[in-house]
Amino acid sequence: ELQLLESGGGLVQPGGSLRLSCAASGFTFSSFAMSWVRQTPGKGLEWVSGISGSDGSADYADSVKGRFTISRDNSKNTLYLQMSSLRADDTAVYYCAKGAFLAVPGRIDIWGQGTMVTVSS
Amino acid sequence: QSVLTQPPSASGTPGQRVTISCSGSSSNIGSNYVHWYQQLPGRAPRALIYNNHQRPSGVPDRFSGSKSGTSASLAISGLRSEDEADYYCAGWDDSLSGWVFGGGTKLTVV
């Protein structure tokens, strides 16, 4: 069964750092792009970052560029999101999402259950 | 302010047909596929329609999608109480080099 399991969320102070992980199973991880999408409590979805399945090329939303870094370890079937200089408006549920193709612009077809990140003093 | 524009709410009675619109621009809907996601209360989103009108396996044919120019729409026929959810349109934006989403439409079955 195809599964995405996020971990690493929690409470962090403004200006702090946090690393999210997403363990994938049930598919050939290296063959597909992966993304992080976040959802502010009670609000809509916002794409954060995506990484291709092959060469690891990455794209970022302007709101996180320079502060967040996406990476993947295909040998461990795991996706990461390193978040630094965190701000209150980064507070959200962060979803790991699988792309349908190697490249990030391919459609997103599977979503994890999400992990909550709260930035507060 | 979302890049794609959806009505914040929609409603219908059981058995009725409802449509949800999604408006974008030439850099997203106008030049790329539109996808729709359903988010049930307290759950993660799930793919509902892809490539404008295709349904993933397991999605009932009561759900259909269409696209014209820089706009798209999702139609749900034979409305059921279990269709109460938030619905989001999405697409790749060539100018932003990223995925963009609509603000979501909360569907109520009254």
Side-chain angles (χ1 to χ4, degrees):
Chain A
E1 181 191 357
L2 196 153
Q3 194 170 11
L4 300 172
L5 189 60
E6 301 95 335
S7 61
L11 174 65
V12 61
Q13 292 190 337
S17 298
L18 205 60
R19 189 177 84 155
L20 305 182
S21 299
C22 171
S25 59
F27 64 99
T28 306
F29 183 69
S30 60
S31 295
F32 298 96
M34 298 293 295
S35 285
W36 289 98
V37 180
R38 67 186 180 186
Q39 184 169 35
T40 307
K43 299 226 176 137
L45 301 168
E46 180 191 16
W47 177 81
V48 172
S49 180
I51 186 168
S52 70
S54 53
D55 61 7
S57 58
D59 295 296
Y60 296 91
D62 287 344
S63 58
V64 306
K65 205 170 287 184
R67 299 188 300 122
F68 290 11
T69 301
I70 191 172
S71 62
R72 63 192 298 161
D73 186 336
N74 289 340
S75 68
K76 295 182 178 179
N77 291 347
T78 303
L79 175 73
Y80 302 101
L81 185 67
Q82 178 67 48
M83 305 184 293
S84 60
S85 302
L86 282 161
R87 311 185 301 222
D89 62 1
D90 293 317
T91 295
V93 174
Y94 284 74
Y95 293 102
C96 169
K98 172 187 168 294
F101 305 102
L102 261 178
V104 176
R107 63 186 168 92
I108 293 173
D109 60 358
I110 302 294
W111 300 67
Q113 288 306 301
T115 186
M116 182 70 203
V117 172
T118 303
V119 183
S120 174
S121 54
Chain B
Q1 190 82 4
S2 301
V3 174
L4 304 181
T5 301
Q6 297 179 237
S9 63
S11 64
T13 57
Q16 203 172 23
R17 181 178 188 270
V18 298
T19 61
I20 297 171
S21 63
C22 175
S23 177
S25 68
S26 59
S27 63
N28 41 67
I29 293 179
S31 52
N32 293 298
Y33 289 122
V34 176
H35 314 287
W36 291 88
Y37 299 94
Q38 177 193 58
Q39 187 175 33
L40 296 169
R43 305 290 297 275
R46 72 151 180 161
L48 193 66
I49 295 288
Y50 68 93
N51 294 2
N52 303 332
H53 63 87
Q54 303 287 340
R55 283 187 307 278
S57 60
V59 173
D61 59 6
R62 301 186 296 106
F63 295 90
S64 62
S66 63
K67 178 185 126 172
S68 178
T70 59
S71 293
S73 64
L74 171 71
I76 309 171
S77 60
L79 204 58
R80 297 183 175 186
S81 58
E82 58 259 39
D83 297 333
E84 275 207 348
D86 293 324
Y87 293 85
Y88 295 90
C89 60
W92 181 261
D93 192 294
D94 292 330
S95 296
L96 298 173
S97 290
W99 283 96
V100 291
F101 290 88
T105 298
K106 183 176 185 62
L107 174 65
T108 302
V109 181
V110 297

